[in-house]
């Protein structure tokens, strides 16, 4: 009964990092019920809201999916009105408004990342309650508590694509190795002016830093 009340949580590790010319957004693939029972090992938490804009989700899966569905509609409508692709900040602001206006009901947080012609690669965090922050990199979810030290020590501005991909992969691997509700495979999306590339790294191919 307790698990039914709590519902399905993404129990997750999510991140987004800018590099020289683009941005990488990534997550694990495990969902849990009540934080104890693993209900799915293969959920994709990276959701494309427009051509070069992605969101990743943490918290209640049902709340996050409902908010993303509403946001995608508003962002598409905005793009049609403006007759141009939406700005990354505009997409993040739509999610911010949804979270703020429904802060008493929603139990979900988001990271929005993407590339646009005005500001290039960008990362935005939309926290519980609707706070919006622009950051060069961000981490979130239950697994993030295990990798703050790694992220602070290893992040550097203007990384190359390869350096950024390794940084994101290592961060996810460390979190998935320690957090019991993070796991599965590592989903990564590389977003640049040229387009979008999906990278999936199976759990047994992730780097190991200790006995697991």
């Amino acid at each position: 009964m307790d698990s039914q009340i709590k519902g399905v949580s993404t129990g997750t590790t999510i991140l987004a990092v800018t590099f020289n010319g683009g941005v990488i957004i990534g997550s694990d693939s495990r969902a849990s019920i009540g934080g104890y029972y693993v209900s799915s090992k293969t959920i994709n938490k990276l959701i494309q809201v427009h051509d070069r804009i992605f969101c990743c989700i943490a918290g209640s899966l049902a709340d996050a999916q409902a908010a993303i569905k509403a946001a995608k509609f508003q962002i598409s409508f905005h793009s049609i009105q403006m007759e141009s692709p939406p700005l990354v900040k505009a997409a993040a602001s739509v999610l911010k408004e949804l979270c703020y206006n429904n802060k008493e009901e929603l139990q979900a947080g988001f990271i929005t990342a993407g590339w646009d012609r005005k500001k290039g690669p960008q990362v935005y965090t939309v926290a519980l309650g609707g706070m919006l922050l622009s950051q060069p990199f961000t981490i979130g979810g239950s697994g993030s508590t295990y990798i703050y030290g790694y992220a602070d020590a290893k992040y550097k501005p203007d990384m190359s694509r390869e350096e950024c991909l390794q940084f994101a992969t290592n961060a996810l691997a460390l979190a998935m190795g320690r957090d019991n509700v993070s796991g599965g495979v590592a989903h990564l999306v590389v977003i640049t002016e040229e387009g979008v590339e999906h990278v999936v790294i199976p759990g047994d191919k992730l780097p190991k830093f200790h006995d697991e």
Side-chain angles (χ1 to χ4, degrees):
M1 181 61 71
D2 184 50
S3 293
Q4 291 177 359
I5 292 171
K6 290 183 178 179
V8 179
S9 166
T10 53
T12 186
T13 304
I14 56 177
L15 56 81
V17 192
T18 57
F19 64 91
N20 187 11
V23 60
I24 292 176
I25 187 168
S27 77
D28 72 312
S29 66
R30 182 175 290 180
S32 63
I33 294 178
Y36 308 107
Y37 169 72
V38 176
S39 57
S40 175
K41 297 179 181 178
T42 57
I43 186 171
N44 184 6
K45 303 170 190 176
L46 306 181
I47 301 170
Q48 189 170 18
V49 296
H50 209 267
D51 294 346
R52 289 181 176 81
I53 305 174
F54 278 73
C55 289
C56 50
I57 57 179
S60 166
L61 185 57
D63 289 356
Q65 287 178 332
I68 289 289
K69 185 177 180 179
K72 286 177 72 174
F73 171 79
Q74 291 188 36
I75 293 164
S76 295
F77 187 64
H78 171 74
S79 178
I80 293 168
Q81 285 183 312
M82 300 298 292
E83 298 183 344
S84 65
L87 300 178
V88 181
K89 187 174 183 179
S93 296
V94 169
L95 276 170
K96 179 201 73 171
E97 289 297 319
L98 285 167
C99 289
Y100 179 77
N101 293 335
N102 300 280
K103 58 181 176 292
E104 300 298 330
E105 291 82 24
L106 284 179
Q107 293 294 318
F110 305 90
I111 294 173
T112 304
W115 184 96
D116 61 47
R117 293 192 179 277
K118 185 175 181 179
K119 291 188 176 180
Q122 298 149 74
V123 171
Y124 294 92
T125 301
V126 181
L128 285 171
M131 181 176 67
L132 177 64
L133 290 173
S134 173
Q135 298 174 292
F137 81 95
T138 188
I139 56 178
S142 57
S144 66
T145 56
Y146 298 94
I147 57 171
Y148 274 104
Y150 171 83
D152 287 339
K154 297 297 184 178
Y155 171 78
K156 58 183 180 181
D158 296 321
M159 286 187 284
S160 68
R161 180 188 182 280
E162 291 71 26
E163 287 175 326
C164 191
L165 197 58
Q166 191 63 58
F167 171 85
T169 302
N170 289 349
L172 288 172
L174 284 164
M176 291 160 67
R178 295 293 188 186
D179 181 27
N180 67 321
V181 287
S182 294
V185 304
H187 287 284
L188 295 160
V189 174
V190 184
I191 309 165
T192 63
E193 183 179 5
E194 287 71 35
V196 171
E197 179 188 352
H198 296 256
V199 179
V200 178
I201 305 174
D204 60 350
K205 301 297 183 183
L206 289 169
K208 295 185 183 296
F209 298 90
H210 49 79
D211 293 333
E212 298 175 349

